[in-house]
């Protein structure tokens, strides 16, 4: 719930031989990555790829442009594939939904080297200031060595297990929930439409007509909201409520666009956030690609992927856990004490309030799209 990317390290430059320029990066990529296991042995169909770059500090000037740095990594892999194939064909680039999305992380650092100065540099030949490019004069006139610093980069290359950008984008803010949430999670358990906070069919039509919904400029990231809730112990409170029968209550008096209560409901219902990414994708009906990149992520297309059946089982288990969690969360609280007999409350109750009508409307959209209106009251 708190991760932005899930990646696997496939190559790392040695500390003793850092990368200084694009040529070094090209040679490192081509020599360090086993192309047959990454993109195939050159005999079958070609897999698409993409390369993104992340910088964590100042890097050499020749590597500071993210696009050209990514292009260098891509060219090294493409050339390696060409050398494997008799037809000289090359992999295509797909920036939206590549089979092998790569991320190059460049970490800059400074290294020093001792060089004997020759008295040449900013001061000229023995000119003003007595400073040379590689040395300087001490206080008593003796010539001393100067350590010159050079910026180099350590490079790590990862392959990303998913596509569609950062995982903090759950999908309930897009306003385009393609999956009928009420039917998918409700019919088997006889969930009434009113328990989802509104008519799910009407919500679905309204979302599809609106396209991408606006996002509040100060909206909290979904992953940050989930992290704060986990740090506060909300997940532990929910687990305790399952055993002691006292229920779990969360109150958000200034909810804004509803990120905290929405994420709290997803945790309480044991709903995997990736299920909402699958539900929110609507590209198949518009561009004809027909493949949901969240339902069929890059990891299951790799050469070394185990079995498609195993992935389908994981999705089925996640759906069953969501159904069970939703059923428990919306169920009436069982009275355990005499004083609780007249209290009508559910196992999970989330109360939120917002004064700004526009923010309140955004919160309603998120709650409705996520299908958690049964336990969230705005």
């Amino acid at each position: 719930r708190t991760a932005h990317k899930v990646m696997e390290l496939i190559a790392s430059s040695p500390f003793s031989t850092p990368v200084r320029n694009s040529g070094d990066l090209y040679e490192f990529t081509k020599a360090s990555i086993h192309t047959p296991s990454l993109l195939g042995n050159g005999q079958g169909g070609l897999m698409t790829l993409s390369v993104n770059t992340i910088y964590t500090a100042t890097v050499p000037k020749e590597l500071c442009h993210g696009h050209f740095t990514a292009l260098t990594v891509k060219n090294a892999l493409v050339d390696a594939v060409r050398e494997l194939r008799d037809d000289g064909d090359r992999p295509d680039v797909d920036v939206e939904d590549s089979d092998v999305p790569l991320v190059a992380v460049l970490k800059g650092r400074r290294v020093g080297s001792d060089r004997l100065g020759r008295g040449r540099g900013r001061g000229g030949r023995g000119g003003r200031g007595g400073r040379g490019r590689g040395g300087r004069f001490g206080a008593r006139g003796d010539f001393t060595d100067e350590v010159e610093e050079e910026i180099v980069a350590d490079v790590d290359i990862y392959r990303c297990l998913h596509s569609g950008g950062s995982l903090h984008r759950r999908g309930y803010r897009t306003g385009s929930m393609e999956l009928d949430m009420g039917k998918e999670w409700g019919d088997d358990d006889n969930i009434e439409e009113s328990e989802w906070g509104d008519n799910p069919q009407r919500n679905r039509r309204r979302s599809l007509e609106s396209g991408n919904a606006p996002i509040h400029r100060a909206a909290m990231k979904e992953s940050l909201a989930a992290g704060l809730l986990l740090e506060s112990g909300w997940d532990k409170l929910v687990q305790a409520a399952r055993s002691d029968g006292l229920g779990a209550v969360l109150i958000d008096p200034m909810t804004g666009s509803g990120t905290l209560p929405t994420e709290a409901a997803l945790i309480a219902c044991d709903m995997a956030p990736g299920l909402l990414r699958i539900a929110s994708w609507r590209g198949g009906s518009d561009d004809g690609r027909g493949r949901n990149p969240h339902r069929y992520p890059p990891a299951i297309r790799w050469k070394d992927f185990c079995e498609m059946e195993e992935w389908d089982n994981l999705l089925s288990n996640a759906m069953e856990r969501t159904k069970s969690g939703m059923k428990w969360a919306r169920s009436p609280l069982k009275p355990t004490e005499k004083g609780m007999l007249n209290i009508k409350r559910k196992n999970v109750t989330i109360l939120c309030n917002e004064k700004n009508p526009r923010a309140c409307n955004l919160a309603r959209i998120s709650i409705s799209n996520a299908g958690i209106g049964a336990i969230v009251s705005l």
Side-chain angles (χ1 to χ4, degrees):
R1 295 183 187 277
T2 59
H4 287 184
K5 288 185 182 294
V6 179
M7 305 183 295
E8 176 190 10
L9 179 65
I10 59 175
S12 184
S13 62
F15 188 82
S16 58
T17 56
V19 174
R20 289 176 166 82
N21 49 52
S22 59
D24 290 349
L25 179 61
Y26 178 93
E27 295 298 332
F28 156 70
T29 303
K30 194 172 181 181
S32 302
I33 295 180
H34 189 249
T35 309
S37 61
L38 184 70
L39 297 170
N41 59 7
Q43 306 303 318
L46 291 173
M47 304 183 75
T48 60
L49 76 153
S50 64
V51 183
N52 289 321
T53 53
I54 296 176
Y55 296 96
T56 61
T58 302
V59 298
K61 186 176 181 180
E62 195 171 333
L63 301 174
C64 66
H65 195 291
H67 172 73
F68 293 111
T69 300
L71 197 63
T72 301
V73 175
K74 186 269 297 182
N75 288 338
L77 294 173
V78 165
D79 292 345
V81 171
R82 278 178 168 173
E83 294 174 2
L84 289 173
R85 298 180 66 92
D86 296 333
D87 56 9
D89 204 357
R90 51 170 287 170
D92 290 330
V93 174
D94 186 348
V95 296
E96 297 295 333
D97 181 27
S98 61
D99 298 322
V100 184
L102 300 176
V103 178
V105 180
L106 285 78
K107 296 169 286 188
R109 59 184 172 93
R110 296 179 180 272
V111 296
S113 59
D114 293 334
R115 297 180 180 179
L116 182 62
R118 299 300 180 184
R120 301 178 60 178
R122 182 173 298 177
R125 289 187 176 92
R128 185 173 54 187
R131 291 183 60 86
R133 181 174 298 174
R136 60 188 175 91
F137 287 100
R140 292 180 295 181
D142 54 329
F143 194 78
T144 60
D145 290 341
E146 184 181 71
V147 177
E148 289 190 350
E149 286 190 337
E150 178 188 11
I151 298 177
V152 297
D154 298 316
V155 181
D156 295 328
I157 299 180
Y158 299 83
R159 63 175 178 178
C160 198
L161 277 70
H162 58 90
S163 58
S166 174
L167 292 176
H168 81 270
R169 299 187 181 96
R170 310 292 198 224
Y172 54 75
R173 282 177 173 164
T174 62
S176 58
M177 304 300 283
E178 187 69 12
L179 182 65
D180 189 343
M181 309 295 277
K183 179 179 179 181
E184 192 70 24
W185 295 335
D187 286 359
D188 293 343
D189 295 328
N190 297 321
I191 299 178
E192 296 180 3
E193 291 178 348
S194 59
E195 293 182 350
W196 292 90
D198 202 346
N199 187 313
Q201 294 289 349
R202 185 167 65 251
N203 289 339
R204 181 170 178 269
R205 289 195 301 271
R206 185 188 306 145
S207 297
L208 290 175
E209 291 169 359
S210 64
N212 289 334
I215 299 177
H216 196 282
R217 67 177 59 186
M220 182 184 298
K221 278 188 175 180
E222 296 89 328
S223 55
L224 176 58
L228 291 173
L229 289 164
L230 295 174
E231 187 69 18
S232 71
W234 170 247
D235 57 325
K236 296 181 177 62
L237 179 63
V238 171
Q239 290 298 325
R242 290 179 177 269
S243 58
D244 59 26
L246 297 179
V249 179
L250 183 139
I251 300 175
D252 184 1
M254 296 178 289
T255 194
S257 57
T259 310
L260 272 173
T262 302
E263 290 295 323
L266 299 185
I267 294 174
C269 297
D270 199 18
M271 185 187 301
L275 292 178
L276 292 176
R277 287 168 66 89
I278 294 175
S280 65
W281 187 80
R282 56 178 301 197
S285 60
D286 294 334
D287 58 19
R289 291 165 63 189
R291 181 177 66 187
N292 187 328
H294 309 306
R295 174 63 176 83
Y296 303 98
I300 70 172
R301 312 172 209 161
W302 295 344
K303 302 294 184 180
D304 54 356
F305 180 70
C306 50
E307 293 291 340
M308 186 64 188
E309 183 180 356
E310 183 174 348
W311 171 248
D312 290 336
N313 290 336
L314 289 173
L315 288 179
S316 298
N317 291 338
M319 189 68 75
E320 290 301 321
R321 289 175 58 177
T322 300
K323 290 180 181 180
S324 176
M326 176 63 74
K327 184 176 181 179
W328 171 80
R330 72 173 194 273
S331 298
L333 191 64
K334 296 180 179 179
T336 57
E337 300 176 6
K338 292 182 179 179
M340 298 180 61
L341 292 177
N342 297 324
I343 298 179
K344 295 181 179 180
R345 211 175 76 193
K346 298 174 182 178
N347 284 322
V348 176
T349 301
I350 299 176
L351 307 174
C352 48
N353 180 71
E354 176 55 46
K355 182 179 180 180
N356 187 289
R358 293 185 178 181
C360 190
N361 184 56
L362 293 177
R364 285 196 180 96
I365 292 174
S366 295
I367 293 169
S368 177
N369 283 342
I372 51 173
I375 57 176
V376 178
S377 176
L378 175 62

